[in-house]
Each structure stands twice: as structure tokens, then as C-alpha cells.
Amino acid sequence: MMFDRIAAGFRRILRATAVPRVGLCPVAACSVLLLLCTAPGVAEPLEYYLPGDVQYDDSIPTPADIIGHDVGEWHVTHDRLVQYMRTLAERSDRITLTETGRTYQDRPLLLLTISAPANLERIDDIRSRHLALSDPRRPMKVKDDMPLVAWLGYSVHGNEPSGANAAMIMAYHLAAATDEWTLRLLDESVILLDPVLNPDGFNRFANWVNTHRGRVLVSDRQSRELNEAWPNSRTNHYWFDLNRDWLLLVHPESRARVREFQRWRPNVQTDHHEMSTDMTFFFQPGTPTRSHPMIPRRNQELTLKIGRYHAEAFDGVGQLYFTRERYDDFNLGKGSTYPDVHGAIGILFEQAGSRGHLQESQHGDLAFPVTIRNQVLTSFSTLRAALDMRGELLQYQREFYQTAYQEGGKDPARGWIVGDDGDPARAHDFVGVLLQHGIEVHLLKRDIKVGGHPYRKGNAWIVPAEQPQYRLARGIFETRTEFEDTTFYDVSAWTLPLAYGLPRAELRRQYAQRILGKRLESLPDAPEPVASNDEPALAYLFDWGTYYAPRALHRLLQAGVVVRAASEPLTLQTRDGNRQFDPGAVLVPMGIQKLEAARVIELLDEAAREDGVRVHAAVTGLAEAGVDIGSPSMKALRLPRVALVVGTGVSASEAGEVWHLLDQRFHMPVSLLDVGAFSGRDLSRYTHLVLVDGSYSKEMAGKVGAWVRDGGVLLAGKRAASWAAEHDMAKAEFKSALNVTEGEDRRDYADYRPDSELQLLRGAILMADLDTTHPLGWGVPRRDLPVFCNRTQVMQPAKNRYQTVARLADQPLLSGYASPENLERLSGSASVIVQRNGKGTVVLMADNLNFRGYWFGTNRVFINAIMFGGIVEATGN
């Protein structure tokens, strides 16, 4: 080992000096070498990570040759990692590299396809034959010469960097190793290597720890290197956890990854993570009773069989590990579970994280190279298992889809129907998600009514149960409320049609070929309504019911257009005939505009084309029914200037959800105000202030309260809502969470953890009644509003009966798990309360209306609070 350290130190000297090797002063070299080799934290040589009995092709560069340091000596930055992967693809005939997409920060997303050169020459044929495994309608047998497909995925969480650093080691070995086993692996498999699933977070973390690294490594866990500043680097640019986005596909990283996954449908997929420093190493299977019912038990058996290879690898180096506890395979939208519902074996690896370069733990100081080595070991053990089990894994995938197709044909629910609810934009996005997951979707051939709700041809779609993707489709549509195990690592429900706020129903006797229309091969372009602007009109109007209407409104306000919002319904004669407009409809009266008419019409055309609104030209200001366009019921709107409070004590995920919603979906600028410097900020610059779940000070309350009374609109969620009420910005009562230690019944100590879990509301979908006559409810087509709930704090309905905008139903559970105690306390409670305070408005939200960026139903209520919060009228005390 000492010789290896000396060699590594010598290589470091050669890289660090501009003096040629033959001209290096021996005395100077020995002096520097001594310092480097005896100083703490000298990196391990490449041989530390690789099998000891393998020869490597000298023409293939090592990671150090390209990134400038040994793996594990520094945290590699994303640009250097990309440079190394591109170099390997250029130098090796075993690798092709594809850029699959770009992150929000414009970093490339890479996928390496690694196999024998002969396989790469016919890779399209191999992929086509492999995909046939997942189509039971195509007759085929698993052949002895059929390559297996393995996917190695690293570091979906940016501050779990051991995986991405291990990716360089694995890519080098697969490109350069000349041993018999590796050559056989390349002949008999295709390896897809995703070096880093979250480039933005990964680079953010590398910069943090490298910035705070000294020459002498410090393991003190209180040191700044080991304590990232808010919001830390786990997440992507908008502070989203990408490991919860496989099913939701909100972000470009996920869409690119799932597109490639569906192009290949691998047999085994690894998901390399890190956990607490004081832990050891976890590999799946997880808790046996916490696997999703749509995943066959055979999956767990094969996962356990592969697990024996991991155990053997770790036993060989004395590494501690555990399995079959803590983690689960329930949420289909996580990286290790999504493959399981595709006939693959998804494997979660959790390595105790050094986080920085060195950190003290209960097992002794944990060095960064050790964490990388363990990820390398499990990468190799996975590939060894997969190669040995090749025929078994290929056959399992074939049988998975055969049985899925059969089960779909026997399901009493012959399929599912979903309608657009008058909002083609939301439905368009939802159907797009289904298609990206390879789910078969058909047009509705004729109008039908199911459960009293009409579904119309051209505005509804059918998802048949009898299809290869039956298990995933059921997992997306079902509303499951009964569970074998009621402990969840993550959410217990994610029913997508409920999240999108779209009407949906199971098709039983109603289902027949006579209503099943053409299958969608791809998502058609979203409709692009055009404005009726051939000639200037008296006024223009568009409905508020389409999802991107707020973006159109903001576009107009930002350009200086004078805009009004209808607070009452009206029927008006337009060039398209008589049209009824509901509350929330946007009015652009041309006679009072300061901008030239041509510019206003140009902006309306852009809104119609890019935001999907239908613009109507009014022939007269006199209504056929309802209020006239000059009525006081037409409320003047102002341009929102939004500030979002962020920083220590604030929920980064919920803040990121607001930032993403306003910035990406509605193209609205958002000022991010750090809570630590809040006292020095001038709030008069802003019309709206958003406080998500978090901890806020008493000193801050005085300033915010005065700003609200002076006309500001405050949106406060969860703990921020109770904080606002506590400091007299609003009148609302809150109940605290249950205390599981209360009560006289004696309980065993072993029951404490499961009892505690039962009281947590990890994430269920509840039904709320939304007041659609309230400005926050405008444009929402139905009063029934599914709400995502992951809290135990209860907000009581307002004493003023006009102020509770959304109230949970008396029997609210739609999907997921909530304990009977929590359901009893939540039933009938308030979800959203709106009150006037002086000249301003306070919006209290007990629930997160923007959860994970895919709750299109409830985030309409949130954006309404931004656009219309200032025109809410006082309704008394």
C-alpha cells in the first residue's frame, strides 16, 4: 500500500509541474513526494478501485489523465467528468456516447452504450429484438445468443457523489480491460451507463466541498465543508428531488432519462445513492411487505439472488452492509422501483456518505475513496450476477409482460377513460406523460356518459387494461386505500388523473370496441387557437378556464396592456356569435389602452398562439345577459411583482416548487429573498410575498404584517400559515399533530417506531370542496378538488363563512393511506382560507398546492391567488 501511495504521489508531481520528467530535480521531487505521501488524505491509486488480476489497454486514458487528479482526491466537477466520458467514446471502439438532453443550467445529459464492437455495429437490431421481449403479442422465444441489457445509473442526488465518481472507474474498466470475463460481458450484454443523473446538483456540490477542502483533510463533522448551505445540492436547479420524478416527468433530466429507458427496457438497473455517514451499506431487496402490489414476487426473489453477489463482494473486503429493512419498493416513481414495473430488476444502493473528502463516523473516519470503491464493487457484482443470470433475467422480462397482458385482460376494469374537462392544455400534458411511459392510449370513438359525467369524442381518451403496460397503467390510475403494510418510505398515493384535476372513470360494462378509437402513436401538437383580430374591435376577451390563461394575462400586463377580470358571468355578442364568459374571464377594452391598437392585437395573437387561449372580439359592450363590459364588476388587475422567501429554515422543496411554477410554467419573474437578510429588504417593491412551509421569526412578522395592511398579498403555506395567524395577520385556528406518547395504555418499546409512522401523513390524496365562485376558484370547472395532503397540522374553517375557499370533505380519503386518527381530525377542516387585512390580502394554505410540480389541479388555485388575490373583497369580520 505504501508503494502504491508513493506511485500515486509521483504521478501527482508529474501532473503538477511543467518540468519534463527527465528534468525534474531529484532532491525537489523527493521532498515534495515525502510531503504528499505522508500528508493525510492522499488519494488512492486507480488500482485501489479495480480488480487486481486484470490487464488494461494502455491506449485508453485513465480518469487522472483527463480530469487532472486521481479519482477521490478531489470531487470531480461535471465538466471534467463529461470531458472524460467524451474522450473514452473517442478512443474506445466499445463505447458510443449520446447526449440525451440538457439540464436547466444547460449541462449535457449523457448516456454511454458499452458493448463489444461487433454488437455496437448492429446495435439497432439488438435493441429491436430486445424490445420484442416486452410485447407479448409478438411471438418470440428467448434465444441463447440474446444479449442482456444492464443500466448503471449514478448520483440522482447531487450531494451523493460517490456514484458519479465510480462511474468513471466503471467506464474506464469496460473500455480498457482485456481479461476474459470482461470480454465475455461485452459479448453477451449491452451496458447503458448514465454517469450522473443530476448534473446541476452534482456540480453545485463538487464546488462546495472543493472550495472548503484544505491540504490536510478535516473529518470534523462540524466543519463547513461537511455542512452545505441552504438549499444544499441534493436537488436539481429548482430544488426538486429528481428521484421522485421518474413517473411525473416534470423535469428535463427525467424526460430524457425515461425516453432512453423506454427505448431499451433494460433487464437490470442500478440506482446508486448515499445515506447517513453513521450507516454502513444497504442493497435491495428492501422491506418484504412494502413492495407495490403491481410488482410480482418473483422480482424480489431475483433481487435477493443478485444480492448474494453483493454480499460476497463486501465480505471479501470486510465491508459491513444490511438488506431487507428500512427501504421499500412501493413508490413507482422512484429510480429503483420504476424498472420493477417494467420487467426489470431495479436495485437501490445506499452507501454511507462521507459527503466531503473525510468525515468522522461511529465506525471511524470515512474517506471519500472508500465510498467510491463500494459503489464500484456493487457495480461489478451487479454485472457479474446479471451475466450469470442472463437467461433467467431475459425470460423473466418476457414472462412479466405476458402475465401483465393476461392480467389486464381479466381485470374487471376493462380500461380507464379520462376527459379534458374543458381544458385541453392540462389533458394534453397528461396524455403526453402516458405516452412517454409507453402506455397505449386510444381516442374516444363516440360520446358516452360514465358515472353521470359526459365524455366527448375529440376531448377524451381511453387507456385499455389489456396491454403490455397494464401494471404501470393501473399504478397510475388506481385509487388504492388498503395496504398490507402502512409504513411508507415516501408517499402512499400519486394517482395522476387526480393530480391533474381531470375527470376519469373505470370502464367496465361500458367498455367495448365500439367506443375504442384509433391508437395514438405520438402526441399531437397542442391546439393553437388564433385570435379573431382581423380588424380592431371594441374589446377582446378570453376565458380563464385553460391552464395557461395566467401566462397570457401576465404577458399582457407585463407589456402595459390595461386588463380587467370579470367577477360576474356575462353573455356577449362577438364576431363568433354569442359567447358566455364565466367569472375570471379576461377583458381587454381597446378604448382605454395607452398602447397602440396594433401592438395590443399583436400581443393577443401571441397569447392565443403560445398560451393556448381563444381570443374573442366583442361587437358591443352591451351584454346579452349578465354584466356589461363597463360594469364595476369588471375588476382592474395589476402586474404581480412576486417575492419568494428562501433560506435556512424554509422548505427548499416547497420553495422550489413555487419558483418552478411561476418561472417555468407561467414565465413570471420571481425575486428570491433570503430570510437571513429579510430585515434589510424593501417590501414596497413587491405586490405578492410567498412564504412556504418553514420557520419564521417574530421580528419578521411585524414587517410583513405592516406590508400586508398597506396592500400586499401574502401567500402562506403550512407552518407559515399558522405563523401568520399567530402574529395577527389572519384569523385562523390550528391544531397540533397527535402526540403518540399520550395515553394510559402501556406499549412495548419495539412498537414506538411503527406507532410513530402510523401518525405521519406521508402523502395521501383527499377530496376538498372548492368555492368556484371565489376569485381563487375561478376557472376551475368543478367544486370537487383532489388535494395532496402530507401534514398532520389541522386548520379549522374560518369563523367567517365566506372565507374558507377550500374545505376537506367529511370522508375525504380518495387514494393512499391516512390513519383513522388523522382522517378524523382532517375531515371537514380547511385547506385554503382567504382574508382581507387592511388594504391587503392573506391567503392561508394548510396543504401544498404545488406538490412536486405535477399537481395541475391545485396549482391553479395558487396561481389564482397570484393573479386575483388583490381583488378579493372584504366579507366582514
Side-chain angles (χ1 to χ4, degrees), residues 673-719:
L673 305 185
D674 192 279
V675 67
F678 190 81
S679 61
R681 298 296 177 252
D682 177 11
L683 296 189
S684 66
R685 297 172 60 91
Y686 313 110
T687 61
H688 293 69
L689 185 66
V690 181
L691 303 180
V692 300
D693 187 37
S695 177
Y696 303 94
S697 68
K698 180 179 179 180
E699 292 73 21
M700 184 175 167
K703 184 170 185 173
V704 173
W707 172 82
V708 169
R709 290 188 293 274
D710 200 37
V713 179
L714 173 65
L715 284 71
K718 292 187 174 179
R719 285 179 294 160

Short mmCIF file of all heavy atoms in Angstrom, two decimals, residues 673-719:
data_model
loop_
_atom_site.label_atom_id
_atom_site.label_comp_id
_atom_site.label_asym_id
_atom_site.label_seq_id
_atom_site.Cartn_x
_atom_site.Cartn_y
_atom_site.Cartn_z
N LEU A 673 -35.82 36.19 -1.88
CA LEU A 673 -35.36 36.98 -0.74
C LEU A 673 -34.86 36.05 0.35
O LEU A 673 -35.63 35.20 0.84
CB LEU A 673 -36.48 37.87 -0.20
CG LEU A 673 -37.17 38.82 -1.18
CD1 LEU A 673 -38.16 39.71 -0.43
CD2 LEU A 673 -36.16 39.67 -1.93
N ASP A 674 -33.61 36.20 0.74
CA ASP A 674 -33.05 35.35 1.77
C ASP A 674 -33.62 35.75 3.13
O ASP A 674 -33.61 36.91 3.51
CB ASP A 674 -31.54 35.44 1.79
CG ASP A 674 -30.93 34.35 2.65
OD1 ASP A 674 -30.89 34.51 3.88
OD2 ASP A 674 -30.51 33.32 2.08
N VAL A 675 -34.10 34.75 3.86
CA VAL A 675 -34.73 35.01 5.15
C VAL A 675 -33.74 35.63 6.13
O VAL A 675 -34.13 36.43 7.00
CB VAL A 675 -35.35 33.71 5.71
CG1 VAL A 675 -34.26 32.70 6.06
CG2 VAL A 675 -36.23 33.98 6.91
N GLY A 676 -32.46 35.31 5.99
CA GLY A 676 -31.47 35.85 6.90
C GLY A 676 -31.21 37.33 6.71
O GLY A 676 -30.70 38.00 7.62
N ALA A 677 -31.52 37.86 5.54
CA ALA A 677 -31.31 39.29 5.26
C ALA A 677 -32.63 40.01 5.06
O ALA A 677 -32.67 41.12 4.51
CB ALA A 677 -30.43 39.44 4.01
N PHE A 678 -33.72 39.41 5.53
CA PHE A 678 -35.05 39.93 5.24
C PHE A 678 -35.26 41.32 5.83
O PHE A 678 -35.94 42.17 5.23
CB PHE A 678 -36.11 38.97 5.79
CG PHE A 678 -37.50 39.28 5.35
CD1 PHE A 678 -37.94 38.87 4.09
CD2 PHE A 678 -38.37 39.99 6.16
CE1 PHE A 678 -39.24 39.16 3.66
CE2 PHE A 678 -39.66 40.27 5.74
CZ PHE A 678 -40.09 39.86 4.49
N SER A 679 -34.69 41.58 6.99
CA SER A 679 -34.94 42.87 7.66
C SER A 679 -34.45 44.04 6.83
O SER A 679 -34.94 45.15 6.96
CB SER A 679 -34.26 42.88 9.04
OG SER A 679 -32.85 42.73 8.89
N GLY A 680 -33.49 43.81 5.96
CA GLY A 680 -32.95 44.90 5.14
C GLY A 680 -33.60 45.04 3.78
O GLY A 680 -33.16 45.87 2.98
N ARG A 681 -34.63 44.28 3.49
CA ARG A 681 -35.26 44.31 2.17
C ARG A 681 -36.44 45.29 2.14
O ARG A 681 -37.19 45.41 3.10
CB ARG A 681 -35.73 42.91 1.77
CG ARG A 681 -34.60 41.90 1.65
CD ARG A 681 -33.65 42.29 0.53
NE ARG A 681 -32.51 41.38 0.43
CZ ARG A 681 -31.27 41.68 0.78
NH1 ARG A 681 -31.00 42.89 1.29
NH2 ARG A 681 -30.29 40.81 0.63
N ASP A 682 -36.60 45.95 1.01
CA ASP A 682 -37.68 46.92 0.79
C ASP A 682 -38.88 46.19 0.19
O ASP A 682 -38.92 45.90 -1.00
CB ASP A 682 -37.19 48.02 -0.15
CG ASP A 682 -38.28 49.03 -0.49
OD1 ASP A 682 -39.35 49.00 0.16
OD2 ASP A 682 -38.07 49.84 -1.42
N LEU A 683 -39.88 45.91 1.01
CA LEU A 683 -41.03 45.13 0.55
C LEU A 683 -41.96 45.94 -0.34
O LEU A 683 -42.82 45.36 -1.02
CB LEU A 683 -41.81 44.58 1.74
CG LEU A 683 -41.09 43.57 2.64
CD1 LEU A 683 -42.06 42.96 3.64
CD2 LEU A 683 -40.42 42.47 1.82
N SER A 684 -41.83 47.25 -0.35
CA SER A 684 -42.73 48.06 -1.18
C SER A 684 -42.53 47.79 -2.67
O SER A 684 -43.37 48.16 -3.49
CB SER A 684 -42.50 49.55 -0.90
OG SER A 684 -41.21 49.97 -1.33
N ARG A 685 -41.44 47.11 -3.03
CA ARG A 685 -41.19 46.76 -4.43
C ARG A 685 -42.11 45.64 -4.91
O ARG A 685 -42.22 45.40 -6.11
CB ARG A 685 -39.75 46.31 -4.61
CG ARG A 685 -38.70 47.39 -4.30
CD ARG A 685 -37.31 46.79 -4.31
NE ARG A 685 -36.98 46.21 -5.60
CZ ARG A 685 -36.38 46.86 -6.60
NH1 ARG A 685 -36.04 48.12 -6.42
NH2 ARG A 685 -36.10 46.26 -7.72
N TYR A 686 -42.77 44.93 -3.98
CA TYR A 686 -43.49 43.71 -4.33
C TYR A 686 -44.98 43.83 -4.03
O TYR A 686 -45.39 44.46 -3.05
CB TYR A 686 -42.91 42.52 -3.56
CG TYR A 686 -41.40 42.47 -3.62
CD1 TYR A 686 -40.62 42.73 -2.49
CD2 TYR A 686 -40.75 42.22 -4.83
CE1 TYR A 686 -39.25 42.71 -2.55
CE2 TYR A 686 -39.36 42.21 -4.90
CZ TYR A 686 -38.62 42.46 -3.76
OH TYR A 686 -37.25 42.46 -3.82
N THR A 687 -45.77 43.21 -4.90
CA THR A 687 -47.22 43.13 -4.66
C THR A 687 -47.58 41.84 -3.94
O THR A 687 -48.61 41.79 -3.27
CB THR A 687 -47.98 43.17 -5.99
OG1 THR A 687 -47.56 42.04 -6.80
CG2 THR A 687 -47.70 44.46 -6.76
N HIS A 688 -46.77 40.80 -4.10
CA HIS A 688 -47.06 39.48 -3.53
C HIS A 688 -45.83 38.94 -2.81
O HIS A 688 -44.70 39.08 -3.31
CB HIS A 688 -47.47 38.49 -4.62
CG HIS A 688 -48.78 38.80 -5.28
ND1 HIS A 688 -48.95 39.89 -6.10
CD2 HIS A 688 -49.98 38.16 -5.22
CE1 HIS A 688 -50.21 39.91 -6.54
NE2 HIS A 688 -50.85 38.88 -6.02
N LEU A 689 -46.05 38.32 -1.68
CA LEU A 689 -44.99 37.69 -0.91
C LEU A 689 -45.42 36.25 -0.61
O LEU A 689 -46.52 36.02 -0.11
CB LEU A 689 -44.76 38.45 0.40
CG LEU A 689 -43.59 37.98 1.28
CD1 LEU A 689 -42.26 38.23 0.58
CD2 LEU A 689 -43.62 38.73 2.62
N VAL A 690 -44.56 35.30 -0.95
CA VAL A 690 -44.87 33.88 -0.75
C VAL A 690 -43.98 33.32 0.36
O VAL A 690 -42.75 33.41 0.28
CB VAL A 690 -44.66 33.07 -2.05
CG1 VAL A 690 -45.03 31.60 -1.81
CG2 VAL A 690 -45.50 33.64 -3.19
N LEU A 691 -44.62 32.76 1.37
CA LEU A 691 -43.92 32.07 2.46
C LEU A 691 -44.39 30.62 2.45
O LEU A 691 -45.55 30.34 2.77
CB LEU A 691 -44.23 32.71 3.82
CG LEU A 691 -43.93 34.19 4.01
CD1 LEU A 691 -44.30 34.63 5.43
CD2 LEU A 691 -42.47 34.49 3.74
N VAL A 692 -43.53 29.72 2.06
CA VAL A 692 -43.89 28.30 2.08
C VAL A 692 -43.64 27.74 3.47
O VAL A 692 -43.21 28.45 4.39
CB VAL A 692 -43.09 27.51 1.02
CG1 VAL A 692 -43.37 28.05 -0.37
CG2 VAL A 692 -41.60 27.55 1.32
N ASP A 693 -43.87 26.46 3.64
CA ASP A 693 -43.66 25.81 4.92
C ASP A 693 -42.27 26.11 5.45
O ASP A 693 -41.27 25.97 4.72
CB ASP A 693 -43.84 24.29 4.75
CG ASP A 693 -43.82 23.55 6.06
OD1 ASP A 693 -44.35 24.08 7.05
OD2 ASP A 693 -43.25 22.44 6.10
N GLY A 694 -42.19 26.53 6.70
CA GLY A 694 -40.89 26.86 7.25
C GLY A 694 -41.01 27.53 8.60
O GLY A 694 -42.11 27.66 9.17
N SER A 695 -39.89 27.96 9.11
CA SER A 695 -39.82 28.62 10.41
C SER A 695 -39.46 30.08 10.20
O SER A 695 -38.44 30.40 9.60
CB SER A 695 -38.76 27.93 11.29
OG SER A 695 -38.63 28.59 12.53
N TYR A 696 -40.31 30.98 10.72
CA TYR A 696 -40.13 32.41 10.52
C TYR A 696 -40.17 33.13 11.88
O TYR A 696 -40.84 32.70 12.80
CB TYR A 696 -41.21 32.96 9.58
CG TYR A 696 -41.24 32.27 8.24
CD1 TYR A 696 -42.08 31.19 8.00
CD2 TYR A 696 -40.39 32.66 7.23
CE1 TYR A 696 -42.09 30.54 6.78
CE2 TYR A 696 -40.39 32.02 5.99
CZ TYR A 696 -41.24 30.96 5.77
OH TYR A 696 -41.25 30.30 4.57
N SER A 697 -39.45 34.24 11.98
CA SER A 697 -39.24 34.89 13.26
C SER A 697 -40.35 35.88 13.60
O SER A 697 -41.09 36.36 12.74
CB SER A 697 -37.90 35.63 13.24
OG SER A 697 -37.96 36.74 12.36
N LYS A 698 -40.40 36.22 14.90
CA LYS A 698 -41.33 37.23 15.38
C LYS A 698 -40.98 38.60 14.80
O LYS A 698 -41.87 39.38 14.45
CB LYS A 698 -41.28 37.27 16.91
CG LYS A 698 -42.21 38.29 17.53
CD LYS A 698 -42.11 38.25 19.05
CE LYS A 698 -43.04 39.30 19.68
NZ LYS A 698 -42.95 39.27 21.17
N GLU A 699 -39.67 38.89 14.67
CA GLU A 699 -39.24 40.16 14.12
C GLU A 699 -39.71 40.33 12.67
O GLU A 699 -40.09 41.42 12.25
CB GLU A 699 -37.72 40.27 14.20
CG GLU A 699 -37.16 40.37 15.62
CD GLU A 699 -37.23 39.06 16.38
OE1 GLU A 699 -37.33 38.00 15.72
OE2 GLU A 699 -37.20 39.10 17.63
N MET A 700 -39.68 39.26 11.94
CA MET A 700 -40.10 39.30 10.55
C MET A 700 -41.61 39.57 10.45
O MET A 700 -42.08 40.22 9.51
CB MET A 700 -39.76 37.96 9.89
CG MET A 700 -40.04 37.87 8.43
SD MET A 700 -39.43 36.29 7.78
CE MET A 700 -40.23 36.27 6.19
N ALA A 701 -42.36 39.10 11.45
CA ALA A 701 -43.82 39.22 11.42
C ALA A 701 -44.28 40.67 11.39
O ALA A 701 -45.22 41.03 10.69
CB ALA A 701 -44.43 38.49 12.62
N GLY A 702 -43.61 41.53 12.17
CA GLY A 702 -44.02 42.92 12.20
C GLY A 702 -43.91 43.59 10.85
O GLY A 702 -44.80 44.33 10.42
N LYS A 703 -42.82 43.32 10.16
CA LYS A 703 -42.59 43.93 8.85
C LYS A 703 -43.58 43.40 7.82
O LYS A 703 -44.13 44.16 7.01
CB LYS A 703 -41.16 43.65 8.42
CG LYS A 703 -40.76 44.31 7.12
CD LYS A 703 -39.27 44.21 6.86
CE LYS A 703 -38.86 44.99 5.62
NZ LYS A 703 -37.40 45.04 5.45
N VAL A 704 -43.81 42.09 7.83
CA VAL A 704 -44.74 41.50 6.86
C VAL A 704 -46.16 41.97 7.14
O VAL A 704 -46.91 42.31 6.21
CB VAL A 704 -44.66 39.96 6.91
CG1 VAL A 704 -45.74 39.33 6.03
CG2 VAL A 704 -43.28 39.48 6.46
N GLY A 705 -46.54 42.03 8.42
CA GLY A 705 -47.89 42.48 8.76
C GLY A 705 -48.17 43.89 8.29
O GLY A 705 -49.24 44.19 7.75
N ALA A 706 -47.20 44.79 8.49
CA ALA A 706 -47.37 46.17 8.03
C ALA A 706 -47.49 46.24 6.52
O ALA A 706 -48.29 47.01 5.97
CB ALA A 706 -46.20 47.02 8.53
N TRP A 707 -46.70 45.44 5.82
CA TRP A 707 -46.75 45.41 4.35
C TRP A 707 -48.11 44.92 3.87
O TRP A 707 -48.67 45.46 2.90
CB TRP A 707 -45.62 44.51 3.86
CG TRP A 707 -45.65 44.21 2.39
CD1 TRP A 707 -45.18 44.99 1.39
CD2 TRP A 707 -46.17 43.03 1.77
NE1 TRP A 707 -45.37 44.38 0.17
CE2 TRP A 707 -45.97 43.17 0.38
CE3 TRP A 707 -46.77 41.88 2.26
CZ2 TRP A 707 -46.38 42.20 -0.52
CZ3 TRP A 707 -47.18 40.90 1.36
CH2 TRP A 707 -46.98 41.07 -0.01
N VAL A 708 -48.68 43.89 4.53
CA VAL A 708 -50.00 43.39 4.15
C VAL A 708 -51.05 44.47 4.36
O VAL A 708 -51.88 44.75 3.46
CB VAL A 708 -50.36 42.13 4.96
CG1 VAL A 708 -51.84 41.77 4.76
CG2 VAL A 708 -49.48 40.96 4.56
N ARG A 709 -51.05 45.11 5.50
CA ARG A 709 -52.05 46.12 5.79
C ARG A 709 -51.97 47.30 4.82
O ARG A 709 -52.96 47.99 4.57
CB ARG A 709 -51.90 46.61 7.23
CG ARG A 709 -52.29 45.56 8.27
CD ARG A 709 -52.31 46.13 9.68
NE ARG A 709 -50.98 46.51 10.15
CZ ARG A 709 -50.13 45.68 10.74
NH1 ARG A 709 -50.47 44.40 10.92
NH2 ARG A 709 -48.95 46.11 11.16
N ASP A 710 -50.80 47.47 4.22
CA ASP A 710 -50.61 48.55 3.26
C ASP A 710 -50.99 48.14 1.84
O ASP A 710 -50.83 48.93 0.91
CB ASP A 710 -49.16 49.02 3.30
CG ASP A 710 -48.97 50.41 2.71
OD1 ASP A 710 -49.86 51.27 2.91
OD2 ASP A 710 -47.94 50.64 2.04
N GLY A 711 -51.46 46.88 1.67
CA GLY A 711 -51.96 46.47 0.36
C GLY A 711 -51.31 45.25 -0.25
O GLY A 711 -51.66 44.85 -1.37
N GLY A 712 -50.37 44.63 0.45
CA GLY A 712 -49.71 43.46 -0.10
C GLY A 712 -50.56 42.20 -0.01
O GLY A 712 -51.49 42.10 0.80
N VAL A 713 -50.25 41.23 -0.86
CA VAL A 713 -50.93 39.93 -0.85
C VAL A 713 -49.94 38.89 -0.34
O VAL A 713 -48.90 38.65 -0.97
CB VAL A 713 -51.43 39.54 -2.26
CG1 VAL A 713 -52.10 38.17 -2.23
CG2 VAL A 713 -52.39 40.60 -2.79
N LEU A 714 -50.26 38.28 0.79
CA LEU A 714 -49.40 37.28 1.41
C LEU A 714 -49.97 35.89 1.15
O LEU A 714 -51.14 35.62 1.43
CB LEU A 714 -49.31 37.52 2.93
CG LEU A 714 -48.57 36.45 3.73
CD1 LEU A 714 -47.10 36.40 3.35
CD2 LEU A 714 -48.74 36.68 5.23
N LEU A 715 -49.15 34.99 0.60
CA LEU A 715 -49.50 33.58 0.43
C LEU A 715 -48.65 32.79 1.42
O LEU A 715 -47.41 32.75 1.30
CB LEU A 715 -49.23 33.09 -0.99
CG LEU A 715 -50.21 33.52 -2.09
CD1 LEU A 715 -50.06 35.01 -2.41
CD2 LEU A 715 -50.00 32.69 -3.35
N ALA A 716 -49.28 32.18 2.41
CA ALA A 716 -48.57 31.49 3.48
C ALA A 716 -49.03 30.04 3.56
O ALA A 716 -50.23 29.77 3.67
CB ALA A 716 -48.79 32.19 4.82
N GLY A 717 -48.06 29.11 3.49
CA GLY A 717 -48.40 27.69 3.47
C GLY A 717 -47.93 26.96 4.72
O GLY A 717 -46.87 27.25 5.28
N LYS A 718 -48.77 26.02 5.17
CA LYS A 718 -48.45 25.12 6.28
C LYS A 718 -48.01 25.88 7.53
O LYS A 718 -48.77 26.69 8.05
CB LYS A 718 -47.40 24.10 5.81
CG LYS A 718 -47.92 23.11 4.78
CD LYS A 718 -46.88 22.05 4.51
CE LYS A 718 -47.40 20.97 3.61
NZ LYS A 718 -46.37 19.95 3.32
N ARG A 719 -46.77 25.68 8.00
CA ARG A 719 -46.34 26.35 9.23
C ARG A 719 -46.30 27.86 9.06
O ARG A 719 -46.48 28.60 10.04
CB ARG A 719 -44.97 25.82 9.66
CG ARG A 719 -45.00 24.43 10.28
CD ARG A 719 -43.61 23.98 10.65
NE ARG A 719 -42.78 23.79 9.47
CZ ARG A 719 -41.44 23.78 9.48
NH1 ARG A 719 -40.79 23.99 10.62
NH2 ARG A 719 -40.76 23.59 8.36
#
